[in-house]
Amino acid sequence: MLAVVHYVNQFFGGLGGEERADEPVHVSVGAVGPGRGLEQQWAGVAQVVATIIGGDNFVSSRRAEAEPAIRAALEEYQPDVLVAGPAFNAGRYGLACGSCCRIAAELGIPSVTAMSPENPALAIHGQHLYAVPTGELASSMARALPPLARLAIKLGRGEPLGSAHQEGYLPRGLRRDVWHANIAARRAIDMLTQRLKGEPFASEMPIEQFDSVPPAPPLRTLASARVAVVSTGGIVPRGNPDRLREYNSVAWRRYRIADLPRLEPGEWEPIHGGYDSTYAREDPNRVVPLDALRKLESDGAFAALHDYYYVTVGVGTAVNNARRFGEEIAHELHAADVQGVILTAT
Amino acid sequence: MRLERHVHDVTQVAFGARTELSGGQLTLDRERLAQIVLADDRLASCDIQLAAPGESARVVHICDTVEPHWRTAGPTFPGWGSEIRSVGDGETHRLAGVGVTACCELPWRKTGGIQIPRENIAELRGQVAELSPLGSVQNVVLELSLRDGLPDEECDRAVHQAEMVVAQDLARAIAAEHTADRVEAFELTLVDPGLPRVVYMAQITSQGPFAGTFYYGGYLDRLMPTLVHPNEFLDGALVDGNVAGPNIRIPTIVHQNNPVITELYREHGRTLCFAGVVLSRGHYYGMDDKHRVAQQASKLARWLNARGAIFTWENAGNGLMETMYTLQACERMGIKSVLITFEHGGARGDDSPLQFYVPEAIAMVSSGSMDEPLPLPEVERVLGGGDTIRLNPQMGGERVAARGPLTLDWRLEMYASAGQAGQTRYAREDY
Amino acid sequence: MAKEIERTGIPVAYVTTLTSLAEEIRANRIVAGVRIPHPVGNPVLGAETERDLRTTMTQRALEVLTEPVEGPSVFRVDHPGVR
């Protein structure tokens, strides 16, 4: 018989609604509320040995007290698996579930939760949470429990999990290799046939939403600004002395341009593998406009051009790498009091 | 148009006194074949090697692979030293289970950009062998070298011409004496009008020598979307010249057996009506051209009265934008679309799979990641010429021993490994 | 990369031909480039006209750094050399 600890909020713990959201974390022996529904699903294979109940406000805003209490409960009961929720579309409850799962993971206890795909907690906990998708509202509880119960058993038994699609949990932003029985062309035609018949189908790849960045405040006056030029067009000194890659870049470099009026053809070359480099080779300023920047600098359009130019190759670049490059370059720019950047891409 | 391919199945190859096929074993006259190749004075040398799938062997310097075909009437591989006349109709003999591969160290004259004829490598053993067409055919490998001083386009055409004269010669010799094991017929017959009409949206890449696709022997660099008959793929109208993009190219032998086309034909009259093929080029350098492609391609799909569409593309990077915009335009006209695409995602699968989407791309099929490093074992044989490979053109080219073991950082050099015509089983999944 | 630099508070004028790609990944200040292989150049122009084009585009990119924006915004350069 698998031992399960279940986490619920004040409402599903039977204490009340929003007025009880400051309820401190405490433990009730055995199953409470939806935990009884889970036990029905498990039919004797697993049981809720204890239910951790926490008020949504308490757990989300008094973490220094809430988290040790959750940890202590898990350490005391040593369950085979932790189940948290379902949280449906409740944001604070979803976050609390995510925190519980994180704490369980730190203790080496497998965990699973359930919430609506729109719950903001998913964006925060991302790649680490097994979450079964539910409807928005608690009225979808009956539909949510069976897949949650089933996944809890698998995790509790230490069984390997299949893909997100096979097992019914939400994609976590992690993908792994698989060899299907059929070639992609066959799978594509089968998927199209399902669509044409109006049958449900499962895309093999999710559409990604890219995150927004709050726009940096505009420069008040250009005339007094220090500006830097950065490029992903792969224009490097002749001979590519730092061996930057033509694809799948893992590094960036800076090169001193302080005394240069322009990039001289022949002294700089394009090593980017993803575009026809003929024009950039003839005149590298077509990708990195140093000549124009010098002219505008001497005309007083802006105060000064930073001594260094920053470069990488922007094709096949992992997004995580690109982020890291941006952070590292920004660090240097701040240290040099650079106030604005022109970044050219090819 | 009705194409009948008379299929002669080959399960082994060996050298022999003459070219013949018996009990599945193809023997071929090595000297004679080398001589016909060398009749083209652009080529300085030609050595022919054989290798079976499953052997401990690696093929390098691959330029392209073609399946032996011979058309009994009219030109085979039109535009390649032969008349330009439409194919896809009539009788063609095909040696199934054989690939003729031209290998040659094409000149590296640039250190950056698209048109570098990079190293193309294929494994014949192990699961990774499934990622290239060479892993499932008997291989006739032409180890070629070129005369000095040829311009890029002549190099490009010479190596392709070589593989095609050999391929044709083999198929013609066999067709003359051997009765086909089976006949496969391809015709867009009239079917139940209630069946949904499905169009194949095939995007290729073409950006000049070493980076092009040939249609009837001409580069498709300036292609605006057009209609082609699926039989033209199956009958040698398209030849792949994209040595510059080893992993993201669709070799000629894959075009000749394009699985989207053969599977749509299999379903024709059963679950759907195969309406035709829209051929387009991607990776144009301006937004305006990308939108022109999308508008024209989707308009052709609508003219074919398509209710569904299968999309494949070739190349990488911004080439995906033409495909996505075309898919978007099709979906907005009610044409339900499915896209086959490779993904990135990083070696560990925790990075973005693609860099561009449209919200309408709700049905996608994965052909796996190109980001994962591939450890290649030591092999007993290296075919293709010499025993080194060239890497890192951006450093002027660096030579590395080809026999292995070696680990390539990502799959750039692995021949056709991005599976862009949907020809492989490798994919990624969310977990 | 542009977004990460921007996240630290430095405005970035992102010059690219693929403006829709830039909008999709949510870069904020996007300046439309000429063509992928030469975002701030145009080889069909004579040398002097091309330099003039580049100066105009660079000036625009600098001015964009002074523009308040609320989210991804595309700025185009008005010059006959940009198609």
Side-chain angles (χ1 to χ4, degrees), chain B residues 236-259:
Chain B
L238 275 173
V239 170
D240 176 41
N242 192 22
V243 184
N247 57 339
I248 44 76
R249 65 186 293 192
I250 300 173
T252 301
I253 193 171
V254 177
H255 283 312
Q256 289 169 293
N257 295 290
N258 184 299

Side-chain angles (χ1 to χ4, degrees), chain A residues 127 130 162-166 169-193 195-198 201-210 239-248 269-279 281 315-321 323, chain B residues 110-116 118 127 130-131 196 198 244 259-260 263-264 266-267 271-272 283 285 307-310 331 336-338 340-344 348-355 357-359 361-367 372 392-395 398 409-412 421-431:
Chain A
Q127 291 175 351
Y130 286 114
S163 71
H165 173 61
Q166 282 164 344
Y169 56 90
L170 289 166
R172 301 185 296 159
L174 293 172
R175 290 176 70 74
R176 68 182 174 195
D177 287 355
V178 60
W179 289 76
H180 289 288
N182 291 328
I183 60 173
R186 182 72 239 168
R187 303 194 318 267
I189 288 162
D190 289 343
M191 189 181 289
L192 182 60
T193 304
R195 290 200 67 191
L196 290 170
K197 286 183 179 165
F201 66 95
S203 180
E204 294 183 2
M205 287 175 62
I207 296 183
E208 190 173 343
Q209 302 291 351
F210 296 99
N240 193 14
D242 292 307
R243 303 178 57 92
L244 280 184
R245 294 191 190 186
E246 57 163 357
Y247 295 111
N248 189 21
E269 59 170 339
I271 53 105
H272 188 297
Y275 68 88
D276 179 356
S277 58
T278 311
Y279 310 109
R281 186 174 295 276
V315 57
T317 316
V319 173
N320 290 338
N321 280 341
R323 280 203 195 103
Chain B
K110 297 178 179 165
T111 55
I114 289 261
Q115 275 133 350
I116 298 174
R118 295 178 174 82
Q127 188 168 55
E130 255 191 81
L131 294 180
V198 173
V260 175
E263 290 297 309
L264 284 173
R266 190 198 303 272
E267 296 300 327
T271 58
L272 52 86
H283 213 258
Y285 283 148
R307 276 190 48 212
I310 304 279
E331 284 279 342
K336 298 201 186 312
S337 303
V338 175
I340 300 171
T341 179
F342 71 86
E343 47 187 289
H344 285 287
R348 287 193 312 270
D350 56 359
D351 203 274
S352 302
L354 291 178
Q355 269 114 31
Y357 302 86
V358 292
I362 59 175
M364 291 193 272
V365 168
S366 168
S367 63
E372 219 161 313
N392 297 328
Q394 74 279 10
M395 297 307 307
E398 294 169 333
D409 275 329
W410 66 325
R411 300 188 175 188
L412 175 62
Q423 74 268 28
T424 66
R425 302 184 300 119
Y426 167 58
R428 269 196 171 167
E429 61 185 5
D430 290 313
Y431 77 104

Side-chain angles (χ1 to χ4, degrees), chain A residues 304-327:
Chain A
L305 185 64
H306 183 46
D307 289 348
Y308 292 93
Y309 140 69
Y310 298 85
V311 59
T312 188
V313 170
V315 57
T317 316
V319 173
N320 290 338
N321 280 341
R323 280 203 195 103
R324 179 170 56 84
F325 302 163
E327 278 168 16

Side-chain angles (χ1 to χ4, degrees), chain B residues 64-134:
Chain B
D64 186 31
T65 307
V66 64
E67 182 178 77
H69 279 197
W70 168 249
R71 285 176 51 75
T72 53
T76 306
F77 304 122
W80 291 92
S82 59
E83 203 189 339
I84 293 174
R85 261 211 282 152
S86 286
V87 293
D89 198 19
E91 184 177 299
T92 295
H93 288 260
R94 162 186 175 222
L95 304 189
V98 186
V100 176
T101 295
C103 296
C104 181
E105 282 202 337
L106 297 164
W108 280 16
R109 294 178 170 137
K110 297 178 179 165
T111 55
I114 289 261
Q115 275 133 350
I116 298 174
R118 295 178 174 82
E119 192 59 63
N120 283 235
I121 301 170
E123 298 292 283
L124 297 188
R125 173 178 285 186
Q127 188 168 55
V128 66
E130 255 191 81
L131 294 180
S132 114
L134 304 194

